[in-house]
Amino acid sequence: MKKKMYINGIGSISAQLFDPRAVNYELILPDTNRLHVVEPDYKEMMPPMLLRRMSKVVKSGIAAAKNALKDAGIEKPDIITTGTAYGCLADTENFLQKMITQEETLLTPTAFIQSTHNTVSGQIALLLNCHGHNFTYVQRGHSFESSLQESMLWLTENDQLNILSGGIDEITQHSFEIISRFGTYKKEQEHYATPSAGCMAGEGANLFVLNTHKTDRTYAELADLKMCYRDEAADSLDQFLAQNNLTAEEIDTCLVGSNGDVRYDETILKNIQILSNARLIDFKKWSGEFPTSGAFAMALAANLILHKHAPKPLIMHEKTNDYEPRNVLIYNHYKNQYHSFILLRSL
Amino acid sequence: MNDKVWICGLGAISSIGMNVHENFDSLLNGKCGDQYPVHLKTRHQETLRVCEINKTNDELSTIAEMKTQLPRAVYFSAIAVNEALQQFKMQLPEGAYDTLKVGFLSGNTIGGMDLSEQFYADFISDPSAGRLHDVVHHECGAITELVAKKFQFNDYVSTLSTACSSSANAIIQGSRLLKHHKADVIVAGGTDALCRFTLNGFNTLMILDSEPCKPFDDNRKGLNLGEGAGYVVLVSDHIKNKYNLTPVAEVSGYANANDAFHQTASSAEGKGNFMAMQQALDMSGLHTADISYINAHGTGTANNDSSEGMAIGRLFQQQAPLVGSTKANTGHTLGACGGIEAVYCCLALTNNVAYPSLRITTPMKELAFSINQQLITDRQINHVMSNSFGFGGNCTSLIFSKSKLPS
């Protein structure tokens, strides 16, 4: 029999002042093409000596980890597995720039040391003195989902584990400039609702404590996950629902990864058009687009299930929010290549 | 979840060989790939030795049968994956391969950095300058994606990036997926190419030996960087039985643990190293005395070899098996080393050999066991342990066993 798995704690550092546990929160609709995370006061979370040397992605990752553990009421996880497409960009750029401008002389190691993709997972382990299994996945738009998939395998093997899993990515001035040159982002004066090619750049650190046991901290059941690469996402959705014994009508809420890019949004929405009863929530309106944005969607979805309520401003189109979210699907995509489905269910 | 996982194909490319056979031959003959860089253009051209694959990118693209101007790590990966897949496919009946669900898990640490470096040099002086083609494959995941497309791997494609244990961890995750019946076959391993970024990075840490490295020597000065790729074809029990395959080896144990001591340095006693080896042993159901040979991480840095040595000494007590490092042959290939050394371990099992550790003149005094400096061919090698340890305290130990143990 398939084991049940639960989300028991969440730490979310996003472009919004959003506490996943809170009943009330206000999501601000940005009027820019570039969304940075709202950074918390890190001083209470980590030693000042360390803080000075850490880049944003490391700090926000550690903060999200600490928040998730605190939220779940545990001190340290047994296993850490995270995803990041870009890794530690700021440190990478820092070392690269100095290496080039100083012509490979007089370099110092700090930025190099912290540029490694598993820096965040490693630093979390170091701070928590956590000797457990520690993995970092870097598969573009499937980075977070790969870590989630691994977590689910672990929980199937062993029902005594607390797993810290999630996604972390940052944007920097340089990454923004470079990715903009590929035509990925909207223009400066544009925003989500501007009907144009491109999306809003985003970043975030969203981590979860997962376990096979329900506690008084449990948000929702993590029922299933499916990734598909360039496949027909719509066909995959049929299969995904079938393997979860659900009909399309039973999905009451779908957090959809449409991102305001006119080149993709129509296709993306079409892929889920069979979900006739679902309230659609286009979460990237609030988080911006980044390869691990699915983790932000999962934090938001868990919040809706916990409070049995979807705030009206979240819902696309003219559908009522007078219902209780029970079967919540996250359908995300990255560049219409990396597609994923995550199913959360109410308890 | 108790199913066995088998290895039915090997592929390797490194500075000591373009394929598995050449690599094995070089190991038997104590050859090393060490030289001043030829293809890597750096300020350290005449001061830092590397274990470089003696081919230009264009030559590699021809061998890999891929387009030119891709990151170097893509070519290594494609060449080694192709070799491993060919060996596997040969054993299958006609048409069978196409019915299999084949996944791909690859480790790498620098992605397309070799090309990003070129882009960045132009970009930092003018944000509109630099060829976008040189940065489009920057991400580690892009390397895996390109190779996955070439071989049409569609299911369970992902990349592990945990520094120097990346490809060993890809083998762990591949094995786990098979035990959960998520796929029939997973090609697992890793790739990394030399670039200025890592050469200078390791140089700032002052852990590069300007001479050929000498792991486990008392006067070791550091590591030499290398490049390459290594992959194994992991096959589920079900598929092995269905097609009556003769595996190269079994993946009998694996574990990853964290040293949780320092971002780059290992704890003096090698706590994470010890835990990884012990947990891998526990999983395999083997005793320390069963291990015939340890392919150590053995980079040649003062810190690694000491911590790893302490951990091996503590775990194996009076029963240390043959221990050696092949990094004196290949250099430290970072995200590829776990994959390359997995191939070497399988060859040790099938050929009953243990490789000599090169260039030791004064063995480390603090070790509780001796490092093997001879080519050993006179005994059965039944179970082999392979260690890979990386930044972020990331410690991995894998155990490979003969697919059929002699009775």
Side-chain angles (χ1 to χ4, degrees), chain A residues 33-67:
Chain A
N33 63 342
R34 182 170 165 180
L35 278 62
H36 289 281
V37 295
V38 182
E39 293 188 89
D41 184 3
Y42 296 119
K43 285 201 284 290
E44 289 167 14
M45 297 182 170
M46 50 202 102
M49 271 291 284
L50 280 177
L51 206 50
R52 250 185 324 118
R53 287 199 304 235
M54 284 174 179
S55 63
K56 180 170 64 180
V57 72
V58 179
K59 285 187 284 195
S60 62
I62 291 172
K66 291 217 158 189
N67 288 345

Side-chain angles (χ1 to χ4, degrees), chain A residues 73-145:
Chain A
I74 64 165
E75 299 219 335
K76 68 174 161 186
D78 301 294
I79 281 164
I80 299 170
T81 172
T82 65
T84 173
Y86 296 126
C88 301
L89 284 175
D91 287 309
T92 304
E93 290 165 5
N94 179 334
F95 190 76
L96 194 52
Q97 181 153 7
K98 286 190 178 134
M99 181 184 90
I100 291 165
T101 54
Q102 295 166 205
E103 297 178 336
E104 302 183 59
T105 60
L106 305 168
L107 295 165
T108 53
T110 307
F112 175 71
I113 288 170
Q114 300 199 137
S115 72
T116 317
H117 284 77
N118 64 332
T119 301
V120 177
S121 293
Q123 286 288 335
I124 295 170
L126 190 55
L127 274 175
L128 300 173
N129 195 29
C130 177
H131 292 285
H133 175 101
N134 192 303
F135 271 17
T136 301
Y137 291 88
V138 295
Q139 193 54 42
R140 313 195 87 174
H142 281 164
S143 304
F144 159 63
E145 290 77 6

